[in-house]
Amino acid sequence: MIKKYTYGTPFETEAVVVDIKAESTPEYGTVSCENGFCFEYQMEKQDTVFGLGESNRGINKRGYLYISNCTDDPEHMEHKVSLYGAHNFIVVSGKKSFGLFVDYPATVCFDIGYTHSDILKITCDDDNLNLYVIEGESAYVIVKQFRRLIGKSYIPPKFAFGYAQSRWGYVTKEDYREVVREYQKYHIPLDMIYMDIDYMQDFKDFTLNQQNFNDFTEFVKEMKQNHIRLIPIIDAGVKIEKGYSVYEEGVKNNYFCKREDGSDFVGAVWPNDTHFPDVLNKEARKWFGSHYKVLTEQGIEGFWNDMNEPAIFYTPEGIQKLKGNMKEFIDKEPTKEDVWAMRDELRYLSNNPSDYKIFYHHVDGKKIRHDKVHNLYGYNMTRAAAEGLEEIENHKRYLLFSRSSYIGMHRYGGIWTGDNMSWWSHLLLNIKMMPSLNMCGFLYVGADLGGFGADTTRELLFRWLAFGIFTPLMRNHSAGGTRRQECYQFERTEEFKNLIDVRYRLIPYLYSEYMKAALQDDMYFKPLAFVYPEDEIAREIEDQLLIGNEIMIAPVYTQNAKGRCVYLPEQMMMLKFLGNGTIAVDTLEKGYHYVNVDLNEVVLFVRKGCCIPVAEAAECVEKINTKNMVLYGYSESEYFLYEDDGVTKEYQKDCKVLKKG
């Protein structure tokens, strides 16, 4: 059962697709609107709190503070309270189980037993919002109701389930050709290479560097002949430059965000001074989305939207204030406090909250200050792209995902978890974040495998790839200036081939489970607590995940580990994909087991009474043969295989039944 409670005059986020009549007072907790909005609930000792999508720490969110405020910050250490996404959905699971969705586009604070260990407190600066309360017999049932409330998840083309290589620093066509040559030299499967900002002319959206990509259409064809798709980045900021058509069109038609005086807002990003498309404005959104055609006409079939919190390196207003303070600093004999203050002023010049208060959107004839709707920007930039691609070719699936997001964007694209670091802690954070994102509708998700910032190690990359085998988005991506982390950069490269082969052997299963989850408003990743709610041990485990309906994974995520301890909530069959391409099978009883896992091995566990299909390895998705697959698992079990053309939106309704004798 879902109930809606409306306070003040909410901004329409379009996160919800079902019309529900508003009621008066929630049955759970207490609500106060004296100083903004405040919801309080007295938690029981045994209550677990799930949700918040892309957020820090564990699957159980109890015991910390989380602030929904889309933030460009790559150093996701434990004390960080805001990341790139804003996903305001939680489930309290205990004697009483209920879900809460706070549909509010600005900053929301979730104090989940942080200030007081037994108090859940949700606060917003004002009381203009919709609160949805969802009742159900379990957390899992509540999540599925919420998923129906917010609409179907985005479905990418099938090639998007292949392995992808990326790096900020591929500049010329020869850089991309080298990646293809090296991967094919070692027969390592590869389907995509991502294009970071260097492919553009002076970092201008929808342009190509004329010196390096003067015959781009032919280059795209060349890559496709090698079964490789190029996936370019699109940034939020549009460079201010006379003669640049996107800039001039935006200025002429008032498609950019404005200052209060009506002038176009200026914020510096990669091209230096830019304007931000007002993607909350329907006309501006349609205009921006139409420009993706510049690249689709040249054969491009996918995009990643970036810098769309939106990230702001600085503004003219911020620089003017800094200069004034610096002059004052120079003209005085500074104390240590003055030095620290100046240090902090420089540090917080980027993405300064004050800058988000000086520009405006125009929505349905109303002027709305950006900070009041901040968390909707990335959502609507990706919506602009999705709607533009729909206009370009409405029957075709395009790969599309974003850095920043809000609930509702899951209908238009996926997300990657932003600029992480080559830290073991970020591998564990990646693992724990996946079910929470699925709860909020985001199914096509993944992290920068190996880590984006800092320097990876061979071991860390191996372990991260071994987990990435199971994430729908499987991309190795790194920043310029860091250690190169393409698989062929390391010794015994053939071991990487064997590892990534496992991904391609499992794609028929992984794709099938993804499609079932998307079409049935279900989760692809589930915490053990959702499936084994009566098992006290399983309820507390956060480093093992269920995928689909048949398998459990227990990734290794610690340096120098030779394996790990695994808890089985029931008897399961262990499949160990060995480094030589064979599969070792063993049946393990319920309980704790220590499992050895070499670097070049992948282990999964098939649930009792189930089986999964495993194909032969292939070097790209389109070469996977699903006709001669082997079923691994329990005798007399069945698997329902989902298959479609992987390209169009004609999703099949029926599954092929595979029976294991």
Side-chain angles (χ1 to χ4, degrees):
M1 180 184 295
I2 304 175
K3 294 184 178 180
K4 174 183 176 181
Y5 305 93
T6 298
Y7 301 91
T9 307
F11 182 88
E12 179 51 67
T13 68
E14 299 185 66
V16 168
V17 298
V18 178
D19 187 26
I20 296 176
K21 184 179 179 181
E23 301 192 22
S24 55
T25 306
E27 297 175 19
Y28 296 90
T30 59
V31 172
S32 169
C33 296
E34 289 183 10
N35 297 298
F37 174 84
C38 178
F39 172 94
E40 282 198 23
Y41 176 74
Q42 177 84 34
M43 294 185 288
E44 300 286 343
K45 184 177 180 180
Q46 71 271 29
D47 283 349
T48 300
V49 181
F50 300 102
L52 295 183
E54 185 181 12
S55 55
N56 213 343
R57 301 205 172 204
I59 292 174
N60 182 357
K61 298 301 181 186
R62 187 164 180 169
Y64 201 57
L65 182 76
Y66 310 87
I67 298 177
S68 286
N69 180 41
C70 296
T71 303
D72 173 20
D73 181 357
E75 297 189 356
H76 313 151
M77 293 173 281
E78 280 191 41
H79 70 284
K80 297 298 174 72
V81 295
S82 300
L83 300 182
Y84 294 104
H87 307 135
N88 307 333
F89 172 58
I90 61 170
V91 175
V92 177
S93 178
K95 284 184 180 179
K96 296 179 180 178
S97 293
F98 62 96
L100 296 171
F101 173 43
V102 183
D103 193 7
Y104 179 76
T107 299
V108 185
C109 178
F110 291 85
D111 184 334
I112 309 178
Y114 172 72
T115 301
H116 189 292
S117 60
D118 296 331
I119 300 295
L120 163 65
K121 187 174 183 180
I122 304 171
T123 54
C124 309
D125 287 342
D126 62 56
D127 60 349
N128 297 309
L129 58 90
N130 288 311
L131 174 68
Y132 294 85
V133 180
I134 308 168
E135 294 180 309
E137 61 190 35
S138 69
Y140 190 21
V141 169
I142 290 166
V143 167
K144 288 196 277 191
Q145 288 187 76
F146 177 65
R147 293 285 307 284
R148 288 191 287 274
L149 177 71
I150 61 175
K152 299 292 183 190
S153 296
Y154 160 77
I155 295 176
K158 194 170 185 178
F159 74 75
F161 288 80
Y163 177 64
Q165 183 61 60
S166 181
R167 182 172 173 83
W168 177 18
Y170 298 155
V171 176
T172 68
K173 285 182 284 188
E174 189 52 36
D175 292 332
Y176 293 90
R177 289 172 177 141
E178 178 190 10
V179 174
V180 174
R181 279 197 306 269
E182 292 296 321
Y183 271 93
Q184 293 184 346
K185 173 182 173 182
Y186 293 100
H187 300 285
I188 302 173
L190 184 69
D191 268 273
M192 292 158 285
I193 304 178
Y194 282 77
M195 308 184 78
D196 214 314
I197 55 177
D198 293 307
Y199 81 90
M200 303 179 195
Q201 184 66 50
D202 303 321
F203 307 131
K204 292 183 290 188
D205 281 341
F206 311 114
T207 68
L208 295 155
N209 184 290
Q210 291 305 301
Q211 180 178 345
N212 297 327
F213 297 103
N214 59 331
D215 53 353
F216 189 61
T217 302
E218 290 304 312
F219 183 55
V220 173
K221 287 180 182 177
E222 175 191 327
M223 289 290 108
K224 285 185 180 179
Q225 287 168 358
N226 283 287
H227 306 286
I228 301 295
R229 286 173 169 86
L230 297 173
I231 311 297
I233 196 170
I234 302 294
D235 280 350
V238 171
K239 181 177 173 64
I240 297 173
E241 181 182 281
K242 288 186 177 180
Y244 171 34
S245 62
V246 181
Y247 160 73
E248 293 191 339
E249 288 171 14
V251 171
K252 178 182 178 182
N253 294 290
N254 289 311
Y255 288 150
F256 294 127
C257 294
K258 304 285 187 181
R259 294 186 179 97
E260 189 169 15
D261 64 5
S263 63
D264 290 322
F265 171 74
V266 178
V269 202
W270 295 117
N272 292 317
D273 286 351
T274 69
H275 293 324
F276 292 119
D278 186 1
V279 288
L280 275 68
N281 178 296
K282 293 176 184 177
E283 290 75 22
R285 187 165 64 238
K286 183 173 183 179
W287 163 76
F288 191 76
S290 70
H291 281 279
Y292 286 77
K293 190 173 184 179
V294 170
L295 292 164
T296 62
E297 286 182 332
Q298 299 182 74
I300 292 299
E301 298 177 75
F303 300 90
W304 50 310
N305 287 340
D306 196 10
M307 308 299 288
N308 53 2
E309 291 72 36
I312 302 174
F313 294 167
Y314 56 84
T315 62
E317 291 85 349
I319 291 293
Q320 184 177 5
K321 180 184 175 185
L322 176 65
K323 284 181 176 180
N325 291 340
M326 288 183 77
K327 186 177 186 304
E328 182 180 327
F329 177 79
I330 291 168
D331 291 341
K332 69 189 294 189
E333 192 64 37
T335 65
K336 65 180 185 299
E337 288 80 11
D338 293 325
V339 173
W340 292 342
M342 186 53 59
R343 176 199 62 189
D344 288 344
E345 189 153 353
L346 284 164
R347 178 187 297 172
Y348 299 117
L349 186 63
S350 296
N351 307 312
N352 193 300
S354 63
D355 289 330
Y356 294 116
K357 295 179 180 180
I358 62 173
F359 67 97
Y360 293 78
H361 300 273
H362 284 81
V363 183
D364 298 328
K366 297 178 181 178
K367 188 166 77 170
I368 299 170
R369 204 172 75 189
H370 173 80
D371 64 310
K372 301 294 185 182
V373 290
H374 172 72
N375 292 335
L376 299 181
Y377 194 87
Y379 162 17
N380 279 280
M381 179 187 175
T382 298
R383 179 180 178 179
E387 291 173 343
L389 294 169
E390 179 81 10
E391 286 288 321
I392 292 164
E393 196 164 353
N394 65 351
H395 293 299
K396 181 175 180 174
R397 298 185 232 171
Y398 285 90
L399 172 56
L400 182 62
F401 59 90
S402 170
R403 190 169 75 175
S404 179
S405 59
Y406 181 86
I407 290 172
M409 201 207 81
H410 71 285
R411 300 192 298 270
Y412 300 102
I415 63 173
W416 94 102
T417 57
D419 297 346
N420 60 6
M421 305 291 279
S422 295
W423 298 341
W424 288 93
S425 62
H426 275 192
L427 167 54
L428 180 58
L429 179 61
N430 182 192
I431 294 166
K432 293 182 177 183
M433 201 181 282
M434 295 297 99
S436 301
L437 283 165
N438 279 197
M439 288 176 64
C440 297
F442 293 94
L443 297 184
Y444 190 74
V445 293
D448 287 343
L449 304 176
F452 175 73
D455 294 324
T456 198
T457 65
R458 185 177 187 270
E459 182 189 11
L460 176 57
L461 180 59
F462 254 113
R463 294 303 193 194
W464 216 326
L465 287 170
F467 173 63
I469 281 169
F470 299 99
T471 60
L473 168 58
M474 186 185 184
R475 181 178 76 155
N476 176 342
H477 182 46
S478 57
T482 64
R483 182 182 188 180
R484 296 290 294 261
Q485 60 187 50
E486 298 90 351
C487 294
Y488 53 82
Q489 301 288 350
F490 300 91
E491 72 271 18
R492 298 190 298 282
T493 303
E494 66 279 0
E495 294 183 347
F496 284 96
K497 170 192 161 41
N498 295 330
L499 193 74
I500 297 174
D501 274 350
V502 177
R503 166 68 166 208
Y504 283 72
R505 299 183 72 182
L506 290 174
I507 281 177
Y509 173 74
L510 301 177
Y511 180 73
S512 186
E513 293 307 300
Y514 182 96
M515 293 301 296
K516 292 173 192 175
L519 296 173
Q520 297 168 16
D521 299 316
D522 207 338
M523 297 172 69
Y524 171 89
F525 283 110
K526 291 186 277 285
L528 270 59
F530 278 24
V531 178
Y532 304 99
E534 304 305 318
D535 188 322
E536 291 186 9
I537 298 172
R539 287 206 306 267
E540 294 189 7
I541 290 175
E542 298 197 347
D543 60 354
Q544 300 174 204
L545 302 176
L546 295 157
I547 295 176
N549 297 305
E550 288 78 20
I551 70 172
M552 183 186 79
I553 62 170
V556 177
Y557 54 86
T558 52
Q559 184 171 296
N560 296 318
K562 307 303 180 187
R564 60 162 291 174
C565 187
V566 179
Y567 175 72
L568 302 186
E570 60 180 327
Q571 184 194 87
M572 293 186 182
M573 188 174 291
M574 182 176 73
L575 304 187
K576 183 180 284 189
F577 292 79
L578 303 174
N580 61 8
T582 62
I583 301 175
V585 180
D586 194 8
T587 300
L588 303 179
E589 297 302 319
K590 175 181 177 177
Y592 286 102
H593 301 268
Y594 184 83
V595 178
N596 290 297
V597 186
D598 286 343
L599 269 186
N600 61 351
E601 295 177 344
V602 178
V603 173
L604 61 83
F605 302 86
V606 180
R607 296 175 63 192
K608 189 173 183 180
C610 299
C611 63
I612 65 168
V614 178
E616 290 296 317
E619 290 189 30
C620 63
V621 168
E622 65 183 87
K623 290 187 177 181
I624 296 172
N625 184 350
T626 60
K627 301 192 184 302
N628 299 309
M629 296 187 296
V630 177
L631 291 175
Y632 284 86
Y634 288 84
S635 298
E636 308 304 321
S637 57
E638 295 180 340
Y639 181 71
F640 295 88
L641 180 73
Y642 178 94
E643 285 193 289
D644 59 25
D645 61 21
V647 177
T648 70
K649 297 177 181 177
E650 298 299 319
Y651 311 126
Q652 284 183 204
K653 303 284 185 186
D654 299 324
C655 292
K656 184 190 301 181
V657 180
L658 306 178
K659 296 186 178 183
K660 180 170 173 58

